[in-house]
Amino acid sequence: MTQEATELPGGCLCGAIRYRATGYDRAVHCHCGACRKATGAAFTTWVCIPEKDFALLAGRPAYRRSSAACNRGFCAACGTPLFMLYDGDGEVTVSLGSLDEPRAVRVSYQIWTEERLAPAPAADLPSFPRDPH
């Protein structure tokens, strides 16, 4: 079931690609090795949006087939990972970090936890609100 309808604009780092969603079904942290390699991050958070609630507003993403059932879309100019399209599932799976306001999304659950690098961010490490360097 779609979460509360809300405007969720987003795009790539350089601004060449822009999109908008008007709701989402769920958001998940994915710990699989494929997402780790595709994004360069320890895990990736994906926002699952019904195709009817998604619109590409500007630019043309580049796509790469990353598995037998999935294409990954990214900006060819700046490299921002933007979305995944699974064959026939009716969703656009958007990277949380590409949203303009990612705090508007509530994460529902985690997947591929058997491949997780660490159970959680290290709470015992010093933390800074900004880079101290």
Side-chain angles (χ1 to χ4, degrees):
M1 173 150 217
T2 301
Q3 300 287 333
E4 180 180 329
T6 183
E7 184 92 358
L8 296 170
C12 65
L13 180 62
C14 73
I17 298 173
R18 296 292 302 159
Y19 65 82
R20 180 185 66 238
T22 55
Y24 68 99
D25 281 343
R26 67 202 174 285
V28 300
H29 294 316
C30 182
H31 296 275
C32 80
C35 284
R36 204 168 33 249
K37 288 283 190 180
T39 65
F43 67 93
T44 304
T45 305
W46 296 107
V47 183
C48 304
I49 301 166
E51 285 178 345
K52 68 178 182 53
D53 296 333
F54 180 85
L56 189 60
L57 304 176
R60 288 187 111 169
Y63 290 95
R64 182 181 185 289
R65 192 83 171 163
S66 62
S67 72
C70 179
N71 279 310
R72 291 180 187 258
F74 59 95
C75 177
C78 68
T80 300
L82 294 168
F83 24 77
M84 292 190 303
L85 303 171
Y86 281 95
D87 296 346
D89 78 350
E91 292 183 326
V92 178
T93 306
V94 173
S95 63
L96 179 74
S98 70
L99 290 172
D100 293 349
E101 298 293 334
R103 289 183 176 129
V105 172
R106 174 171 288 159
V107 176
S108 305
Y109 54 89
Q110 300 182 72
I111 58 176
W112 290 98
T113 55
E114 67 185 17
E115 294 185 24
R116 179 174 44 201
L117 295 181
D124 60 336
L125 291 177
S127 299
F128 304 93
R130 298 188 191 278
D131 187 348
H133 295 103

